[in-house]
Amino acid sequence: MSSIPKWLRLGILLLVLLAGCSTVTNGTSSDDENKDEGAKANTEANKDELTISVGSDMVSWDIHNHKTTSTEAIHVNVFDYLLMRDEKGDIQPHLAKEWKKVNDTTTEFILEEGVTFHNGEDLTSDDVKFTLERVAKDDSLRSHGDFDNIEEVKVINDYTFQIITKDPDPMLLSRISRQASGILPKDYIEEKGMDYFLQNPVGSGPLEFVEWKKDDKIVLKPYKDYFNGEVTDWKKVIFKAIPEDSTRVSELITGGLDIASNIPPSDWKRVEEAENAEIINGPSNRTYLLFLRTQEDWPTSDEKVRSAIDYAINDQALVDGLLNGQGTPTLTRVNPGNLGYHEGLYGDYNYDVKKAKELLKEAGYGNGLSIQLAGPTGRYLLDREVLQMVAGMLNEVGIEVEMNIMKWGPFVELRQKEDFKDGYLIALGSSFFDAGQSLEYYGSERSETINGYKNEKIDSLLEEAATSLDEEERVEKYKQIQEIANKERPILPLFQLNQFFGVNSNVDYQPRLDELIYVPNITKSN
């Protein structure tokens, strides 16, 4: 009998399979010379086109009705934000060139003049009011909870407005420099209707809409009257939906892609050895998480079962076995660089097979139990493989896992309808760079639609921190929340992961910490 744990044997098998997949080239010749010649020809023919794949297809053109970074990575090129984070994550002026705090609940902004939407209409304070009040007042929109503290946007004149909040809001500037805060064209939408807009989107960003073929591609082109200057390196920008890792790599090497996201470690050497491509990597603000049901009638409602699952998972083995060490195990999803980061929980993990089995026995599952875990494929780096390896680790302590692995669109729908079973795997970012956003998942209002977790102390701490303008006080409250969550384990943080892109040698591209793919920052390298 082999002494190698089943999860480790599974990990080895996965790596072998991944390595095997790395030789697939979608039916093209395996001869390196032929591939290089084809790549050169494609690059030469499309030198004014930039083709990108972030994996999954975009969810929607409704900026307020999704919470998906890969969709925002496209939206940011079509819709301008009032403020925008730079490559380091620092907030900078954008549509709003100046702002000042009038009082604890009122902030005044001055817009850049001469900004126009892609249909030629001027962007004014009325458009800002229309946009922010839409998401603040419509509780059916996915991003409503991030903006419902906005009481009113008061128009002073065409280029001056005030955002008035119900309570003091220490995260206001973060809210208006992220997804769901792109400014929409009021007159266009009121004239044409939202359904028409979603098929024919108009923004004020550096690129304008050409076409969207669902599950295939999105085509954009530079907006010649963009207020920050026209994008001149590219005449056309294409975002292609390619969920399969091996297909993205093959497309990159044969010249069909200029930028390919989520390149698995098994393909790094293949990309680096190609004449026309290289691996570009950088940190992300994203953490793999396992959400577990806490409602009655689910085995995971028992804290001992959730703890057993946590102790059964070797987070460092996930990072080492699948990512060649390119990630950091963690007991919190608040990462370094985020306000409220708890240094005592980052870089640590729980792993004790004996303790996991003891906890299961104490919970009444000495003979084991069965659970179902859902997870996406093609959205995050090695998402399918992470869930498979986790399942193998859980099986080692007597927890049989039925995996429900699906493409990103159906997975999003499963979460929205709350149709998942015992739990699901996901990798979440934090575009606010603030623990207030990351930790809201532990609040009973948010978790009611996710896993049913409730803790009155956490609710109280979240409420107090959300309106405190004392940064030190907020940080202390957020650290307390992380300590409580680490004990009760309604969500199991696994590891923070890095970003890995395959990039054509003729393209100059550096990953952003917020994971946006902002085309004005992508240029030709020669």
Side-chain angles (χ1 to χ4, degrees):
M1 177 72 68
S2 171
S3 62
I4 301 176
K6 292 180 181 178
W7 62 261
L8 182 55
R9 296 201 298 274
L10 175 62
I12 294 170
L13 177 61
L14 285 171
L15 290 174
V16 171
L17 290 173
L18 286 168
C21 289
S22 70
T23 63
V24 176
T25 58
N26 286 342
T28 58
S29 170
S30 61
D31 184 270
D32 290 338
E33 184 177 344
N34 289 341
K35 286 192 296 184
D36 288 341
E37 287 301 318
K40 289 178 183 177
N42 284 336
T43 301
E44 182 65 25
N46 300 314
K47 61 183 179 181
D48 291 329
E49 293 184 8
L50 178 67
T51 306
I52 304 165
S53 179
V54 294
S56 56
D57 193 17
M58 186 180 69
V59 174
S60 169
W61 277 114
D62 191 336
I63 63 171
H64 294 149
N65 209 22
H66 78 95
K67 295 180 78 71
T68 305
T69 303
S70 60
T71 292
E72 186 193 7
I74 300 169
H75 283 183
V76 70
N77 294 289
V78 178
F79 306 101
D80 277 318
Y81 304 162
L82 292 171
L83 309 177
M84 190 167 177
R85 293 187 183 273
D86 60 21
E87 294 87 341
K88 298 178 181 179
D90 297 325
I91 293 175
Q92 304 292 344
H94 197 60
L95 288 179
K97 61 181 179 180
E98 299 175 26
W99 60 92
K100 64 179 180 181
K101 184 172 286 296
V102 177
N103 55 50
D104 284 352
T105 58
T106 304
T107 306
E108 185 169 287
F109 297 83
I110 300 177
L111 289 171
E112 292 277 2
E113 297 185 25
V115 179
T116 59
F117 290 106
H118 302 150
N119 63 353
E121 295 177 357
D122 291 334
L123 188 154
T124 69
S125 298
D126 287 332
D127 299 296
V128 177
K129 179 180 178 69
F130 172 82
T131 300
L132 296 183
E133 288 189 356
R134 175 184 186 244
V135 67
K137 295 179 180 181
D138 186 347
D139 62 7
S140 71
L141 297 170
R142 293 276 293 160
S143 292
H144 169 73
D146 290 329
F147 293 86
D148 60 354
N149 191 38
I150 294 178
E151 178 71 36
E152 176 191 4
V153 177
K154 182 178 180 180
V155 174
I156 307 301
N157 57 46
D158 281 352
Y159 301 105
T160 305
F161 64 92
Q162 295 176 344
I163 297 179
I164 303 170
T165 57
K166 300 170 185 175
D167 299 299
D169 188 352
M171 294 191 291
L172 178 63
L173 298 186
S174 292
R175 296 185 198 284
I176 60 173
S177 59
R178 65 169 297 258
Q179 68 182 33
S181 62
I183 303 304
L184 301 173
K186 172 181 179 290
D187 292 345
Y188 177 77
I189 292 175
E190 289 183 341
E191 177 187 349
K192 302 287 189 179
M194 182 55 71
D195 289 343
Y196 182 87
F197 170 82
L198 295 179
Q199 298 298 318
N200 303 274
V202 167
S204 66
L207 302 180
E208 59 179 303
F209 173 77
V210 176
E211 67 172 331
W212 179 21
K213 293 184 178 180
K214 186 119 178 101
D215 295 322
D216 181 14
K217 65 181 179 181
I218 295 164
V219 181
L220 309 173
K221 67 178 181 180
Y223 178 44
K224 61 183 181 62
D225 293 324
Y226 186 53
F227 83 103
N228 261 347
E230 181 183 2
V231 171
T232 57
D233 279 47
W234 318 107
K235 292 181 180 179
K236 181 187 292 186
V237 178
I238 302 169
F239 286 89
K240 295 183 70 174
I242 307 177
E244 299 80 12
D245 293 339
S246 61
T247 306
R248 285 199 305 280
V249 172
S250 294
E251 286 277 307
L252 174 73
I253 291 175
T254 57
L257 289 176
D258 295 299
I259 300 174
S261 69
N262 295 340
I263 304 299
S266 57
D267 281 314
W268 293 348
K269 183 178 180 181
R270 180 182 172 210
V271 172
E272 290 288 3
E273 289 179 347
E275 184 177 332
N276 65 313
E278 60 183 330
I279 294 292
I280 302 293
N281 72 298
S284 78
N285 200 21
R286 187 168 298 278
T287 304
Y288 261 109
L289 306 159
L290 191 62
F291 279 72
L292 299 173
R293 292 276 195 184
T294 66
Q295 298 100 326
E296 291 183 8
D297 301 326
W298 295 93
T300 49
S301 66
D302 190 329
E303 184 182 315
K304 290 181 179 179
V305 173
R306 299 197 300 271
S307 295
I309 292 173
D310 190 24
Y311 280 105
I313 299 173
N314 187 336
D315 299 349
Q316 188 65 59
L318 292 173
V319 170
D320 293 342
L322 293 177
L323 299 175
N324 284 3
Q326 297 297 316
T328 305
T330 183
L331 296 172
T332 176
R333 69 163 290 201
V334 183
N335 297 316
N338 289 239
L339 187 139
Y341 156 66
H342 195 313
E343 62 280 359
L345 297 176
Y346 182 80
D348 198 5
Y349 64 104
N350 299 314
Y351 176 59
D352 187 327
V353 170
K354 181 179 178 181
K355 189 168 185 177
K357 291 179 178 179
E358 290 173 353
L359 286 166
L360 283 177
K361 186 176 181 180
E362 291 175 16
Y365 296 101
N367 294 324
L369 78 156
S370 298
I371 63 174
Q372 184 189 97
L373 298 178
T377 180
R379 168 63 184 92
Y380 310 111
L381 180 63
L382 294 175
D383 42 17
R384 178 181 67 252
E385 290 78 13
V386 170
L387 183 56
Q388 290 171 334
M389 201 162 175
V390 165
M393 292 173 176
L394 296 182
N395 186 67
E396 198 69 21
V397 302
I399 302 175
E400 182 181 348
V401 178
E402 176 188 350
M403 291 179 287
N404 183 15
I405 299 175
M406 58 189 69
K407 290 185 177 180
W408 180 243
F411 177 74
V412 170
E413 185 176 353
L414 183 84
R415 289 181 66 218
Q416 290 176 346
K417 292 183 177 180
E418 303 172 48
D419 284 343
F420 61 92
K421 302 301 182 182
D422 303 85
Y424 61 83
L425 179 78
I426 195 169
L428 295 180
S430 180
S431 57
F432 282 16
F433 291 82
D434 191 298
Q437 180 192 30
S438 303
L439 299 178
E440 69 171 352
Y441 286 83
Y442 296 99
S444 57
E445 182 177 353
R446 181 68 182 270
S447 63
E448 184 179 3
T449 62
I450 303 176
N451 64 347
Y453 176 66
K454 292 182 180 180
N455 182 292
E456 291 183 1
K457 179 62 174 177
I458 285 182
D459 285 344
S460 177
L461 289 167
L462 283 172
E463 184 177 350
E464 293 165 5
T467 59
S468 174
L469 300 179
D470 183 327
E471 188 171 291
E472 290 185 5
E473 179 184 348
R474 292 181 68 223
V475 168
E476 180 56 35
K477 292 182 186 302
Y478 289 143
K479 286 186 175 181
Q480 290 182 51
I481 293 171
Q482 291 168 78
E483 289 168 1
I484 296 170
N486 182 51
K487 177 180 179 296
E488 299 191 350
R489 298 179 172 93
I491 304 168
L492 305 183
L494 301 179
F495 57 90
Q496 179 192 21
L497 69 160
N498 294 345
Q499 302 178 72
F500 296 93
F501 289 85
V503 180
N504 189 294
S505 302
N506 294 322
V507 174
D508 188 0
Y509 171 71
Q510 291 297 323
R512 294 169 55 103
L513 187 59
D514 57 16
E515 300 181 50
L516 300 184
I517 300 179
Y518 193 52
V519 171
N521 293 341
I522 305 172
T523 59
K524 295 177 181 177
S525 60
N526 51 34

